[in-house]
Amino acid sequence: MQELSALVRAAVEDNTLTIEPVASQPLPTGKAAEVDCGSANTCALSGLARICRHRIRLGDSESHYYISPSSRARDAFRAFHQDLNFVRKFLQPLLIGELAPEEPSQDGPQNVQLIEDFRALRQAAEDMKLFEADPTFFALLLGHILAMEVLAWLIVYLLGPGWVPSTLAALILAVSQAQCWCLQHDLGHASIFRKSRWNHVAQQFVMGQLKGFSAHWWNFRHFQHHAKPNIFHKDPDVTVAPVFLLGESSVEYGKKKRRYLPYNHQHLYFFLIGPPLLTLVNFEVENLAYMLVCLQWTDLLWAASFYSRFFLSYVPFYGVPGALLLFVAVRVLESHWFVWITQMNHIPKEIGHEKHRDWASSQLAATCNVEPSLFIDWFSGHLNFQIEHHLFPTMPRHNYRRVAPLVKALCAKHGLHYEVKPFLTALLDIVGSLKKSGDIWLDAYLHQ
């Protein structure tokens, strides 16, 4: 219903939209006709037969409009977009709704008060200007990355290509590459510049010229992860079977007598094929395939510029074989960092199939934090504040500390678990979770 949609949009912008659950409210006493307002079994926005669990009121109007769950994907959409006016023009030609009358909503029971409190929390964060980036902070991040790149080359240039300077250069380059992951991650979430285009262009430079990867490939993977964290076949970070079994997949594989690998020992072979090879093998192959299949020629040129710069810088000292060995060493070192830092917040949490929770509950169920310190904040790229990052993915990372007390208070009010671990405990829990999943698989395999 286009007219009602326009009124709803205006009410959202004016902050005069009221949403209330149908079950706890009496039938509407408004003046508008039922065909306009809908009913408990008819959605006013779509005009389709739907079970409506909520109704809305616009401003001071006495009329209520019944809406189905398909009209309430507000929190997820709001979390990913800073500038709603910019994205609105892309939504105008889209018809958003459920596929067919015989396809009922899959939304589970929603805690209406939690949803309202979370939206109030976000509004408070906006009022505190926590979605505004500090240019100096991110300029220093880029500066120290570039400084490490230059320092590594100077060490080899001044001290020669011996084992000691080469090892030191590889370590410095690995740290630089790890910090590049963090910076491009900020840009991918459009959390630095006000204009989305500026973030995307800067991300292509950091991801392409400084790392040799495709920005579009990363965003394609990572946005799926944020939309449905720890959900099989929707989050690529946990859809890793049959190499590793996580969460509910352990029981499923055990019951079906699937044994492609000795999963009861996956916590051991994880050290051989997980941290050392993810970036060097899996990411390199997947990234190149994505650029070629999706015809991302600009990203391909950016990646080529990285390899050209790297080998032109180090072939004069090592020759082609030596420069290639240095490249492999850097990739393996950064891969260890990437796996441990990115998985310590997710692997030990609930992993399984879609539960159809509200936005805040779904993010909290799949994430945990790591105790902060100046070093851990820098070393992890502030991913130790994973809860805050998942709730507010477009928020600049230097503001996670400030919003964290508000999130804790929200969780305490609604009985949600806000988990914070020591750094070493978080790392050990990755291995412990793999072992637990492997043991569950073995038990189901032998006894089901």
Side-chain angles (χ1 to χ4, degrees), residues 64-259:
H64 292 82
Y65 300 88
Y66 285 80
I67 59 171
S68 63
S70 62
S71 302
R72 298 190 297 105
R74 168 181 165 184
D75 295 311
F77 184 84
R78 186 69 184 90
F80 289 109
H81 300 91
Q82 288 278 51
D83 188 350
L84 294 182
N85 290 324
F86 176 75
V87 298
R88 189 169 289 129
K89 65 180 182 180
F90 297 101
L91 298 180
Q92 289 176 352
L94 301 179
L95 175 63
I96 301 175
E98 298 182 37
L99 295 178
E102 64 271 14
E103 299 246 356
S105 171
Q106 293 180 326
D107 282 356
Q110 304 287 320
N111 185 334
V112 178
Q113 189 59 53
L114 170 61
I115 294 173
E116 292 179 355
D117 288 346
F118 173 73
R119 291 172 180 172
L121 190 160
R122 182 182 177 89
Q123 184 60 53
E126 292 177 355
D127 295 341
M128 294 168 64
K129 300 187 184 304
L130 298 186
F131 289 90
E132 296 183 7
D134 180 0
T136 303
F137 175 86
F138 289 105
L140 290 174
L141 283 179
L142 176 60
H144 96 298
I145 289 171
L146 297 176
M148 283 188 284
E149 293 283 332
V150 174
L151 178 61
W153 184 85
L154 284 175
I155 288 175
V156 178
Y157 176 76
L158 296 175
L159 301 180
W163 280 106
V164 173
S166 297
T167 301
L168 185 58
L171 289 172
I172 294 173
L173 286 172
V175 174
S176 174
Q177 289 290 294
Q179 290 299 312
C180 280
W181 279 119
C182 299
L183 182 57
Q184 72 82 26
H185 174 254
D186 299 320
L187 291 162
H189 282 294
S191 63
I192 298 180
F193 298 105
R194 292 181 181 273
K195 298 291 185 180
S196 296
R197 179 63 180 166
W198 297 354
N199 285 288
H200 295 325
V201 170
Q203 186 191 20
Q204 283 187 307
F205 168 75
V206 175
M207 195 62 161
Q209 163 56 219
L210 299 184
K211 288 202 63 64
F213 287 100
S214 164
H216 289 90
W217 161 78
W218 170 262
N219 292 339
F220 172 74
R221 282 182 55 94
H222 196 60
F223 293 166
Q224 295 177 73
H225 163 69
H226 268 272
K228 297 291 182 179
N230 285 18
I231 302 299
F232 291 141
H233 310 300
K234 296 182 180 181
D235 179 1
D237 289 0
V238 298
T239 307
V240 292
V243 180
F244 296 103
L245 299 185
L246 304 173
E248 295 176 5
S249 66
S250 305
V251 177
E252 293 175 5
Y253 268 61
K255 289 181 177 180
K256 295 177 181 178
K257 305 299 181 182
R258 293 179 178 177
R259 186 173 184 169

